[in-house]
Amino acid sequence: MDTVALAVTEGMLHFELSVAYEALGSAPDEVAGPWYDVTVCGTRAVRVGRFLLEPDHGLDRLRHAGTVIVPGWADVDAEPPADLVDAVRAAHAAGARVASLCTGAFVLAAAGLLDGRRATTHWAHTGALAARYPEVEVAPDVLYVDNGSVLTSAGKAAALDLCLHLVRLDRGSAVANAVARRLVVPPHRDGGQAQFVTAPVPAADDRTLAALFGWAVERIDQPLTVPDLARQAGMSSRNLTRHFRTATGATPLQWLLTQRIRRAQELLETTDRGVDAIAEATGMGTAATLRRHFHRTVGVPPAAYRRTFRAVHGEPALDPHAA
């Protein structure tokens, strides 16, 4: 997966293309050793927004990439270019992991890669995607969908969420968090969160919640409650819950649980601590509580997660009783 090819054509959306390049194009300072080799592939120089982009290679290079990313493109009413569709299909057949950002999902759908699969795109175009490609199970209200070798995201910020998800899959939570810190964005948003909310959050509230997020993460080992968070934010518990739902699509306790699980993943990946110590460090209280929430959220117990991560990344196995 270390070779990443960005597949471009005329009319690509520059934001999504830039997001992929920023997230995957250079390693954060905390990471030593090899990083992704990111190349831009296309048939000719293309206009991306107001810029003219000269690809590094032709579309035939997609077949040699570990990961192919198709950024969004502007004219979703038109059929995607046949050469791009063919190249993406061939890359997937050759074993590449293929991900679309925003309306890049229309390219994957045209290539047949989404048939019988759950997928998403920008909420404004999910209806068109479902109507044009009825074999696709379109999820209109999620940030991204991971089908293993085929992934799709919604637009703009969700494209960054998917890129961070790819880093997390390939290199673990600690590295993904380092990339997020470099980009000054939250370290993780679950793919199942809502794409948009019905009312905007005022800028002042954004700053308040951003500060609260950092404050809570620094104290993730403590048994924080909604009143604790509300007191720190200077608002009522009811008001805080409303703002949390607007900003994150989750309640304060749901958000806290997500942060605890992500911290547990990071500790399982990067330390030899046992599950009791990790439960204490993540504010879960007991090993039984951690195991229950971890299994329900991640899909496997902590011990299986640690073994799988170490096997995928070529790290030595630990004492099976450690988690």
Side-chain angles (χ1 to χ4, degrees):
M1 303 298 181
D2 285 346
T3 303
V4 177
L6 306 181
V8 300
T9 189
E10 194 71 31
M12 282 287 174
L13 300 174
H14 67 279
F15 182 88
E16 284 75 8
L17 179 62
S18 300
V19 157
Y21 206 90
E22 279 294 320
L24 305 176
S26 59
D29 294 338
E30 298 91 330
V31 176
W35 188 246
Y36 296 104
D37 177 19
V38 179
T39 61
V40 178
C41 300
T43 56
R44 59 186 179 278
V46 296
R47 188 164 295 281
V48 182
R50 297 184 177 182
F51 307 99
L52 192 65
L53 179 65
E54 184 72 43
D56 302 310
H57 304 284
L59 289 173
D60 59 328
R61 190 63 172 262
L62 298 185
R63 289 178 297 154
H64 304 288
T67 300
V68 172
I69 295 180
V70 183
W73 65 307
D75 192 4
V76 296
D77 294 327
E79 287 298 317
D83 56 354
L84 176 62
V85 171
D86 291 343
V88 169
R89 184 189 297 117
H92 184 260
R97 177 178 62 184
V98 178
S100 66
L101 308 180
C102 193
T103 49
F106 284 80
V107 177
L108 272 58
L113 302 187
L114 301 183
D115 289 353
R117 287 187 166 110
R118 190 165 174 261
T120 195
T121 187
H122 190 289
W123 63 267
H125 302 293
T126 51
L129 183 66
R132 193 179 307 172
Y133 302 102
E135 296 300 315
V136 181
E137 182 187 344
V138 178
D141 56 355
V142 299
L143 296 178
Y144 57 85
V145 176
D146 182 350
N147 289 297
S149 64
V150 178
L151 305 92
T152 54
S153 84
K156 305 304 180 188
L160 180 54
D161 289 317
L162 179 54
C163 289
L164 290 173
H165 177 65
L166 293 176
V167 176
R168 185 172 294 103
L169 291 174
D170 296 341
R171 289 172 164 79
S173 297
V175 175
N177 290 345
V179 174
R181 283 194 296 273
R182 176 169 61 82
L183 298 175
V184 198
V185 295
H188 180 267
R189 291 199 297 169
D190 284 316
Q193 285 191 28
Q195 285 194 28
F196 70 100
V197 292
T198 56
V201 183
D205 289 329
D206 281 344
R207 288 194 295 271
T208 298
L209 285 185
L212 181 63
F213 292 160
W215 180 88
V217 168
E218 289 176 357
R219 294 161 177 79
I220 206 68
D221 60 324
Q222 301 176 20
L224 298 173
T225 65
V226 174
D228 291 335
L229 296 174
R231 187 160 46 250
Q232 177 64 24
M235 59 180 73
S236 68
S237 295
R238 181 177 179 181
N239 201 25
L240 177 72
T241 299
R242 180 172 63 84
H243 283 299
F244 253 83
R245 284 193 179 279
T246 300
T248 71
T251 67
L253 290 182
Q254 288 169 339
W255 180 86
L256 266 176
L257 178 61
T258 296
Q259 308 316 307
R260 297 189 196 282
I261 295 297
R262 296 309 163 194
R263 177 60 177 155
Q265 287 180 296
E266 184 175 341
L267 292 174
L268 288 167
E269 294 167 10
T270 61
T271 75
D272 295 345
R273 296 190 200 180
V275 70
D276 292 285
I278 292 176
E280 182 178 353
T282 57
M284 292 286 195
T286 67
T289 299
L290 172 60
R291 288 191 179 100
R292 182 175 70 255
H293 287 299
F294 195 97
H295 197 168
R296 186 180 64 194
T297 303
V298 181
V300 296
Y305 179 86
R306 172 175 270 164
R307 285 195 301 270
T308 301
F309 179 85
R310 303 244 168 175
V312 168
H313 294 271
E315 298 182 17
L318 297 174
D319 179 344
H321 301 293

